[in-house]
Amino acid sequence: MERSIADEAESYLRGLLEEWAVPQPGECIACYLDRAIEGSGCDGDLRFAERYRDLVAPRATALLARLESAGGYCDCEVLVNAMQPAWHLWSTSREIEVDGRTIVLEAEPPESMPPCLGVRRGSTQPCRNWHRMIRRGRW
Ligand SMILES: [Zn+2]
Ligand SMILES: [Zn+2]
């Protein structure tokens, strides 16, 4: 199909404006969702997960159902219920002394995720920056 230069320029510009909108080459679904939610917020549905599937893993027809069965009913819930930052990225819990009392600081997830470690094309697995939550034996 012929595309005019104007069309090319427009889609190029749109790509720059919405860098979060499409998965990068080799980027895993979790890192993509993390960036997309950062970029535009969660709309209460699985639109980014669906886009990832359409663009990267069109044969993963069961993906959305699998995410839902893991408790990921919208894009942000996927990163809470279905996949979470890998433990090695969390701060460690520690005890501090305040006024002679011991306070336990709970481990916290990272404020921002490191760059995606990459997955094989067509994979719907998260990269090693994430681990899958086991729920109902499906994941
Ligand atoms: Zn959400
Ligand atoms: Zn990743």
Side-chain angles (χ1 to χ4, degrees), residues 115-129:
C116 185
L117 295 174
V119 290
R120 157 177 71 74
R121 182 160 181 81
S123 171
T124 56
Q125 302 295 313
C127 71
R128 279 176 293 113
N129 286 338

Side-chain angles (χ1 to χ4, degrees), residues 37 41-46 73-78 80:
I37 292 166
C42 176
D43 272 313
D45 56 24
L46 288 167
Y73 292 97
C74 63
D75 290 318
C76 72
E77 284 182 345
V78 169
V80 174

Side-chain angles (χ1 to χ4, degrees), residues 22 26 64 68 105 116-117 125:
V22 289
L64 299 186
E68 287 182 358
L105 297 176
C116 185
L117 295 174
Q125 302 295 313

Side-chain angles (χ1 to χ4, degrees), residues 9-137:
E10 201 205 316
S11 69
Y12 179 66
L13 278 178
R14 203 163 40 228
L16 285 184
L17 286 175
E18 301 184 0
E19 198 247 327
W20 46 264
V22 289
Q24 302 299 300
E27 185 175 38
C28 77
I29 185 170
C31 291
Y32 168 63
L33 290 180
D34 189 53
R35 275 194 318 114
I37 292 166
E38 182 91 357
S40 80
C42 176
D43 272 313
D45 56 24
L46 288 167
R47 72 181 56 198
F48 290 122
E50 190 170 10
R51 184 179 297 177
Y52 184 91
R53 187 202 57 199
D54 290 346
L55 294 174
V56 178
R59 279 179 294 177
T61 51
L63 176 64
L64 299 186
R66 222 162 68 215
L67 293 174
E68 287 182 358
S69 79
Y73 292 97
C74 63
D75 290 318
C76 72
E77 284 182 345
V78 169
L79 298 185
V80 174
N81 294 328
M83 306 164 186
Q84 285 192 354
W87 299 136
H88 69 265
L89 297 173
W90 290 52
S91 70
T92 50
S93 66
R94 58 191 189 279
E95 296 182 351
I96 56 169
E97 294 278 335
V98 178
D99 296 335
R101 286 191 308 169
T102 302
I103 293 178
V104 177
L105 297 176
E106 298 290 338
E108 290 189 12
E111 257 167 51
S112 65
M113 293 298 292
C116 185
L117 295 174
V119 290
R120 157 177 71 74
R121 182 160 181 81
S123 171
T124 56
Q125 302 295 313
C127 71
R128 279 176 293 113
N129 286 338
W130 305 82
H131 69 101
R132 293 179 317 182
M133 309 299 285
I134 307 295
R135 269 208 172 196
R136 291 170 214 165

